[in-house]
Amino acid sequence: MADLPLGKVREMKEKLGLRLFNKAYFGATEADRKIEEAKKERMEKKKNEYHGQHRPKEISSKKPVSTFRPVYQHTGGKKKRDPRFDNRAGMFKERCFEDNYRFLEELKKQEKDELAKEAIACDERGEVETAERIRETLRRMENREKTKAERKMKQETLRELREANIDRMMRGERPVFKTKAQVKMMNLEKKFKQLKKDNKLDKYMKRKAKKDAHKEARKKPSFEQIKRDPRFDNRAGMFKERCFEDNYRFLEELKKQEKDELAKEAIACDERGEVETAERIREVRDPSH
């Protein structure tokens, strides 16, 4: 390089840069060699380090990106979709759905028959738990059918009202729109007629009466919930004995039950020989005794 003319040396200096030119022209200095060695040591140490299995893979930025790369997000195969919740399937029309999938009713009926036979077979084999699970499945299927029939009946009622209004308008009369309560009463009448036709009305009324009684019983406050006496509370207003007796008539039954329990407890104390305890219980039960 010492034999090169100055013009060539200047061109080489411009191409290589000052640092590389000095290294090539004058040779590597001791400081440069130390820097290179330290750099190599750091690289070796970095390669041997373990950063954990969940650490992202480090890729060199000098590696060119492939021209062929995935454009779509889901490339692992065809994505499954449910047409009931996909806008691409259009608006759900229950009537069309029932017409297209009417054959499922026959399949469900066959499935119910098979499950009933399987439950009987399980009873014969002594598999009580399996039979109970099968019957629970049958009950769920029957409940779904009842719900579907009730919904269909309501739709039929609305359709009849709509057709009646159309007939009125065709005759030049004003349409009559029923309230929700009136539509509900119409549905109940249809339901009662169907139950009477199937000889199930008495059973339904008994079950409904039992349900209503349970609901009313839940509304009544228990003895523990009564924390204040309205007779001596200003928030209850002026005390009216007749109203009080009407509203708290259920307390008489509770008192009667409590007296019976105390009487039984007193008899039990007498049998155990606890005379003093029995006397105290009798005094509580009947202070005039």
Side-chain angles (χ1 to χ4, degrees), residues 81 83-97 100:
R81 62 188 182 90
R84 297 175 299 171
F85 310 108
D86 199 332
N87 294 328
R88 290 177 290 178
M91 189 178 292
F92 174 67
K93 297 179 181 178
E94 189 174 359
R95 186 176 176 182
C96 296
F97 178 82
N100 294 332

Side-chain angles (χ1 to χ4, degrees), residues 11 20 37 41 50 64 92 108 130 139 149 173 190 202-203 207 210 235 243 246 259 266-267 286:
E11 288 179 6
L20 289 175
E37 289 176 1
E41 287 178 3
Y50 178 72
F92 174 67
K108 288 179 182 178
T130 308
R139 279 194 290 270
E173 299 176 2
K190 282 188 176 183
D202 294 337
K203 185 178 178 181
R207 190 166 65 247
K210 187 177 179 181
R235 291 176 292 177
C243 295
D246 292 339
K259 287 176 71 175
I267 294 168
D286 190 3

Side-chain angles (χ1 to χ4, degrees), residues 194-208:
Q194 186 64 32
L195 289 169
K196 191 174 182 180
K197 185 179 178 181
D198 298 337
N199 295 325
K200 295 180 180 179
L201 184 59
D202 294 337
K203 185 178 178 181
Y204 173 78
M205 293 303 294
K206 287 179 182 178
R207 190 166 65 247
K208 185 172 176 59

Side-chain angles (χ1 to χ4, degrees), residues 23-167:
K23 189 175 180 181
Y25 191 77
F26 300 107
T29 61
E30 189 67 25
D32 291 336
R33 282 195 295 271
K34 287 182 180 179
I35 291 170
E36 288 292 332
E37 289 176 1
K39 189 175 180 181
K40 286 181 181 179
E41 287 178 3
R42 283 200 304 271
M43 293 296 291
E44 290 293 331
K45 190 177 180 181
K46 193 174 181 181
K47 284 181 181 179
N48 296 329
E49 280 182 1
Y50 178 72
H51 298 283
Q53 60 177 345
H54 300 296
R55 186 173 181 269
K57 187 178 179 181
E58 188 175 346
I59 301 173
S60 175
S61 61
K62 296 179 181 179
K63 185 178 179 181
V65 181
S66 174
T67 309
F68 303 100
R69 59 186 184 275
V71 178
Y72 299 102
Q73 186 177 2
H74 302 285
T75 57
K78 190 174 181 181
K79 185 183 176 183
K80 296 179 181 179
R81 62 188 182 90
D82 193 337
R84 297 175 299 171
F85 310 108
D86 199 332
N87 294 328
R88 290 177 290 178
M91 189 178 292
F92 174 67
K93 297 179 181 178
E94 189 174 359
R95 186 176 176 182
C96 296
F97 178 82
E98 290 178 356
D99 292 339
N100 294 332
Y101 294 93
R102 197 182 299 277
F103 64 93
L104 291 176
E105 300 298 327
E106 292 295 328
L107 295 176
K108 288 179 182 178
K109 191 175 180 182
Q110 293 175 8
E111 187 179 2
K112 281 178 65 178
D113 296 338
E114 291 174 1
L115 286 172
K117 292 177 182 177
E118 183 65 25
I120 295 169
C122 289
D123 285 332
E124 292 175 354
R125 292 195 299 267
E127 300 174 359
V128 183
E129 294 181 359
T130 308
E132 190 61 32
R133 285 200 298 270
I134 292 170
R135 288 193 176 91
E136 183 64 28
T137 305
L138 283 170
R139 279 194 290 270
R140 285 199 298 268
M141 292 174 72
E142 290 173 358
N143 289 335
R144 281 197 291 267
E145 288 178 359
K146 288 178 183 177
T147 305
K148 187 177 179 180
E150 191 172 349
R151 186 170 65 248
K152 197 171 182 180
M153 182 188 67
K154 291 179 180 179
Q155 291 174 356
E156 186 69 21
T157 304
L158 294 175
R159 188 182 63 80
E160 290 174 0
L161 292 173
R162 197 181 301 113
E163 289 179 355
N165 281 332
I166 290 171
D167 292 339

Side-chain angles (χ1 to χ4, degrees), residues 8 58 91 124 131 151 220 228 243 252 271 275 283 289:
K8 293 286 184 181
E58 188 175 346
M91 189 178 292
E124 292 175 354
R151 186 170 65 248
K220 289 181 180 179
R228 62 186 180 91
C243 295
E252 300 298 328
E271 292 175 354
V275 183
E283 288 178 2
H289 177 67

